[in-house]
Amino acid sequence: MITKVLSGDVAIKEGATLIKSGEVVAFPTETVYGLGGNALAPNSIAKIYQAKGRPSDNPLIVHVSCVEDIYPLVREFSDVNRMLADTFMPGALTLLFPRSEQVPIEVTAGLDTVGIRIPSCAIARKFIAACGVPIAAPSANASTRVSPTTAAHVLEDMDGRIPLIIDGGESEVGIESTVLDLTCDIPTILRPGAITAEMLAGVLGEVKTHKGEVISSAPSPGMKYKHYATTVPMVIAANMQSLLAEYDRAKSQGLDVAALIRSQDACMMDGRKYIELGKTDMEVCKNIYSIMRDAEKSTQHIVCIHLGDEGICRSVMNRLNKSAGGKIV
Ligand code: TXA
Ligand code: MG
């Protein structure tokens, strides 16, 4: 199969036609690129799992272009959902609802809940609206790989596997949406993302973050899989001192090393090779996946600075800890 990369209205038109004929299409969102298919058609869902090489017990998020399009997909839309939708939709928040009969179990991997999100990216919403059906979409990377934030990243993983990538430039946010479970007693973040616990607590009062230690009973099935893996080993350094020590240790073993650091710390590198993640937390978040994909191509060992546990950095660290398999020096 030839994978086309198109942009603009032509891309949206061709993408919608492909979706209506049961195909899968990669499209941009503000978080990361998604690999979309008709959420109401089990055959399209099967194609998504196949193209990604994704285990079929890991459910997909359903994307719609407006709040009204959520109603037919859910059995209940509570006042709390209304409040969250008013504040964070469109945006990088995925809400779990009790699923209605309309949602095939292939989408939810047999679960009774369905995750739904309205992207804020205008191209994404235009594409979904043109399709005329809800769009099930995981991140458009090959399973276990780093999520894509450009059309070029998607092409790296999906060339020859899907007919079309809609190119909408670089994703603004850079990491995936926050997945929030409201079907339990206390609202629980199953996957931290761009909408932080602090932002949600501002609306909900109390919010828990699922720690995800208990792998066998992970409530968000995606949490138990290897994720965001670079093709070369990566470790997290607790501070700049240990980053420099790890760099020198790997270097003395003859490895070509890349240090991923905040721009402000470049002055401490003293002739060592480094990649600047950015100055602000938002910049770091936007750049992180792209830089990981670059670093794995040009080096044999990656050491990345710990970004801290506040706000969006906590969400970025959730991904980086998985990439590093929990390895901190
Ligand atoms: O930002 C995003 O969310 C991106 C873009 C494309 O929208 N999508 C994305 O999808 O990251 P994916 O499939 O890579 O990650 C979805 C996560 C997985 O960890 C999955 O287990 C969880 O959401 N999830 C989906 N539906 C769920 C459900 N009903 N119950 C619990 N977890 C669910
Ligand atoms: Mg993913």
Side-chain angles (χ1 to χ4, degrees):
M1 182 186 294
I2 306 246
T3 303
K4 281 201 221 172
V5 182
L6 298 173
S7 57
D9 286 344
V10 179
I12 290 179
K13 195 164 170 233
E14 182 152 345
T17 306
L18 284 163
I19 293 284
K20 286 175 196 162
S21 74
E23 273 305 326
V24 296
V25 171
F27 64 102
T29 87
E30 73 282 14
T31 58
V32 300
Y33 274 66
L35 184 60
N38 180 351
L40 306 180
N43 284 345
S44 303
I45 304 307
K47 282 190 183 165
I48 296 176
Y49 282 104
Q50 199 179 10
K52 263 188 81 98
R54 179 176 175 120
S56 59
D57 66 344
N58 193 2
L60 306 178
I61 293 171
V62 175
H63 299 66
V64 294
S65 62
C66 61
V67 174
E68 291 67 40
D69 288 351
I70 298 178
Y71 305 149
L73 306 175
V74 306
R75 297 200 300 277
E76 195 185 305
F77 195 98
S78 66
D79 291 345
V80 180
N81 283 320
R82 168 77 47 211
M83 240 159 44
L84 287 167
D86 285 350
T87 316
F88 298 113
M89 286 182 165
L93 179 66
T94 296
L95 294 177
L96 296 195
F97 296 89
R99 78 174 166 89
S100 78
E101 295 277 300
Q102 274 212 20
V103 182
I105 52 166
E106 286 82 355
V107 171
T108 66
L111 296 176
D112 190 42
T113 54
V114 56
I116 305 185
R117 168 167 123 76
I118 305 175
S120 66
C121 168
I123 299 171
R125 287 211 307 277
K126 204 167 167 186
F127 168 61
I128 297 163
C131 292
V133 287
I135 298 296
S139 49
N141 51 286
S143 189
T144 79
R145 292 275 295 126
V146 176
S147 303
T149 54
T150 65
H153 295 163
V154 180
L155 194 62
E156 273 176 18
D157 286 16
M158 292 294 155
D159 196 11
R161 303 176 76 89
I162 60 174
L164 176 66
I165 300 168
I166 300 176
D167 188 350
E170 215 180 328
S171 295
E172 268 310 304
V173 172
I175 61 164
E176 302 84 346
S177 65
T178 304
V179 178
L180 183 67
D181 188 358
L182 290 168
T183 63
C184 42
D185 289 344
I186 302 172
T188 304
I189 294 175
L190 299 183
R191 179 178 69 181
I195 306 296
T196 62
E198 291 84 348
M199 290 159 80
L200 290 169
V203 175
L204 295 170
E206 197 176 7
V207 187
K208 277 198 310 196
T209 301
H210 189 271
K211 295 284 180 263
E213 297 102 355
V214 193
I215 287 183
S216 57
S217 65
S220 198
M223 294 197 302
K224 74 183 180 196
Y225 292 110
K226 186 173 178 214
H227 254 126
Y228 317 107
T230 45
T231 53
V232 302
M234 173 165 146
V235 296
I236 306 295
N239 51 49
M240 280 303 283
Q241 204 182 356
S242 37
L243 179 134
L244 297 177
E246 171 65 12
Y247 184 105
D248 294 342
R249 186 201 59 77
K251 198 84 189 160
S252 72
Q253 292 186 350
L255 295 173
D256 193 1
V257 192
L260 274 43
I261 58 166
R262 287 186 182 272
S263 305
Q264 300 85 302
D265 293 330
C267 56
M268 296 166 74
M269 291 307 289
D270 207 11
R272 298 172 183 89
K273 193 166 151 184
Y274 62 87
I275 304 178
E276 291 182 33
L277 292 169
K279 285 198 190 68
T280 65
D281 293 347
M282 297 311 280
E283 269 174 35
V284 171
C285 183
K286 178 172 178 173
N287 295 336
I288 189 73
Y289 286 152
S290 201
I291 287 176
M292 284 162 72
R293 279 184 181 255
D294 284 346
E296 70 185 9
K297 290 191 196 90
S298 57
T299 59
Q300 297 158 303
H301 189 72
I302 303 173
V303 50
C304 180
I305 191 69
H306 196 294
L307 299 165
D309 290 313
E310 295 290 308
I312 192 115
C313 287
R314 195 190 311 156
S315 307
V316 178
M317 283 313 301
N318 166 273
R319 310 301 194 270
L320 293 181
N321 283 324
K322 287 181 181 165
S323 309
K327 189 148 189 254
I328 301 192
V329 292

